[in-house]
Structures are given as C-alpha cells and as structure tokens.
Amino acid sequence: MYDFLRFIPQNLMDLGFKSYVFMLEKPEICGGVVVKAENPDELRRRLRKVRRDVIVGVVGNEAVCREAVMRRKVDLILDSEKRQLDYATLKLAAEKDVAVELGLAKFIKNRGFSRMQLFERLYDEIRVIRKFNVPFVVTTAAENEYEMRTRKQVENFFSFFGCDIVKARQYATRLVRRYYDSHFIMDGFEIEAELEADVKKKD
C-alpha cells in the first residue's frame, strides 16, 4: 500500500507502507501535483499548465470536484476538511475512473462536534463508493510528521467504517504504476520482462 503525503519528510520512517507519493503544489521530485482552485474556471486554467507525466490531485469545493472528475488530466480527488462530494460526483468519478482519496489527517486535526460531522460524511461517502465501485485510496494525507501514522492504523481506521482495504490497495497500486511502471499498460495487461528484452535485442 502507498501513502500519499502533502510534504517531504526529512527522515522517512518505516511505517509499513510500500512507498510514498509526495503530492505537492510545486513538485520537487517524482510524485504528484496538487491543483487547488476556487471555481471550475480557475481549475481549467490551472490544469492547462500541469504536466502530463505526473499524478494530478485536485482540492476544491463541491463544484470544483464535480468539474475535476470530468477532466482527463485529473487522477485523484484529494481529501480535506472542507471537501464534500455529492452522490452525482461520486457516481461520475466511477464512470470517469477518477479515484477518491479518503485521508486520516482531518480526523486527527479535529475534535468534538466537528469530528463527528466528518465521521458522518465519511460514512456516507463510503456507502456511495461501495455502491458504484468508485476507485478510492486510503491514506494519511499527512501535511507534517505529526500526522503520519502506520499502514496498519490507517487501514484499521477505514475498515472500521466499511472500506474494502484490498480494493484500496489495488487502486493505489494501479494509480502509481500507471505513471511510474514501464511494464504497466492497463488493468490485466503488462509487458513481460522477457518479452521486453527480446524486443530490445531486435531493435
């Protein structure tokens, strides 16, 4: 399983993840880019400037998220405290094969009534995700080292709310391989190492 972080830690501890994807507004290394927008028009403008060889995650309000799932460049709707995804947007995400991130960090930051509201929203999102087989990943979504947690803690938290952790792992792996694995073509198809060697010899 991969974790999607919003920063680059000075010291990466072994927390049980296969690897990390660094989602940054200005990518410094291989990973992904975060695109923030206040409205759909701003999102479209910002997406035009984004490279095509990185994972693209979007942060925004309900209208921005709905627009994002219809954009070919967008791979992931990133989680945040203010994010709200309605029924139609989640259904469209399934149709357009755009993954939805379920992040742990916002539950760590909030307390009391605010946290309870987030729990209710998470329960509703998971219910719709399961109904329409929406691609999704579970992550820490950590913005600093204090918000990082082990893979087991992340998976146990979201499985408590009904997430299929096996599917979450598969979607995360597929997303990462799509950009950073030269053998990956699409689900169920990949270049075998021996075949690739034979092709190189012929060339």
Side-chain angles (χ1 to χ4, degrees):
M1 176 175 158
Y2 294 86
D3 193 17
F4 290 68
L5 304 178
R6 307 296 193 271
F7 76 111
I8 301 177
Q10 291 185 342
N11 298 300
L12 267 177
M13 300 172 285
D14 182 6
L15 298 176
F17 294 98
K18 183 174 183 179
S19 189
Y20 294 89
V21 179
F22 304 112
M23 302 295 299
L24 308 170
E25 291 188 59
K26 295 181 179 180
E28 300 172 29
I29 60 176
C30 289
V33 60
V34 175
V35 179
K36 294 183 178 179
E38 295 296 325
N39 55 64
D41 287 339
E42 182 183 4
L43 175 66
R44 287 190 287 269
R45 288 197 303 272
R46 289 181 179 275
L47 286 175
R48 291 191 196 105
K49 301 176 183 179
V50 174
R51 291 159 39 196
R52 292 182 178 272
D53 60 345
V54 293
I55 297 171
V56 177
V58 170
V59 176
N61 58 32
E62 199 169 338
V64 169
C65 290
R66 190 179 300 117
E67 178 68 24
V69 298
M70 295 187 287
R71 298 291 114 192
R72 191 174 298 177
K73 275 188 177 181
V74 177
D75 301 293
L76 188 62
I77 304 299
L78 296 171
D79 206 353
S80 67
E81 297 175 55
K82 297 180 181 179
R83 186 189 75 181
Q84 293 193 39
L85 300 175
D86 61 14
Y87 189 93
T89 301
L90 286 167
K91 184 178 179 182
L92 194 58
E95 295 171 2
K96 300 295 184 179
D97 195 25
V98 175
V100 172
E101 180 189 45
L102 302 177
L104 183 61
K106 65 184 183 183
F107 298 99
I108 297 172
K109 296 173 186 175
N110 284 273
R111 297 285 186 276
F113 182 68
S114 296
R115 183 186 281 180
M116 290 302 298
Q117 287 183 311
L118 292 174
F119 285 152
E120 291 176 7
R121 194 185 305 164
L122 174 63
Y123 179 79
D124 290 338
E125 287 178 351
I126 291 173
R127 180 175 52 83
V128 181
I129 284 171
R130 293 175 64 179
K131 181 174 181 177
F132 293 113
N133 287 320
V134 181
F136 72 100
V137 297
V138 296
T139 80
T140 63
E143 296 181 352
N144 55 61
E145 293 181 355
Y146 299 105
E147 294 173 359
M148 295 181 72
R149 294 295 186 273
T150 65
R151 177 184 62 81
K152 187 174 181 180
Q153 287 175 312
V154 174
E155 292 184 342
N156 285 346
F157 177 84
F158 288 106
S159 64
F160 176 80
F161 286 91
C163 276
D164 186 332
I165 297 303
V166 173
K167 282 189 176 181
R169 291 174 184 168
Q170 291 171 345
Y171 287 130
T173 299
R174 184 184 65 166
L175 179 56
V176 172
R177 291 189 66 195
R178 187 185 296 167
Y179 286 92
Y180 303 114
D181 186 344
S182 60
H183 294 128
F184 183 76
I185 301 173
M186 60 184 292
D187 285 350
F189 295 91
E190 58 183 271
I191 300 173
E192 293 290 342
E194 292 181 8
L195 177 60
E196 185 180 34
D198 289 341
V199 170
K200 287 181 178 179
K201 286 179 182 178
K202 290 178 182 179
D203 292 343

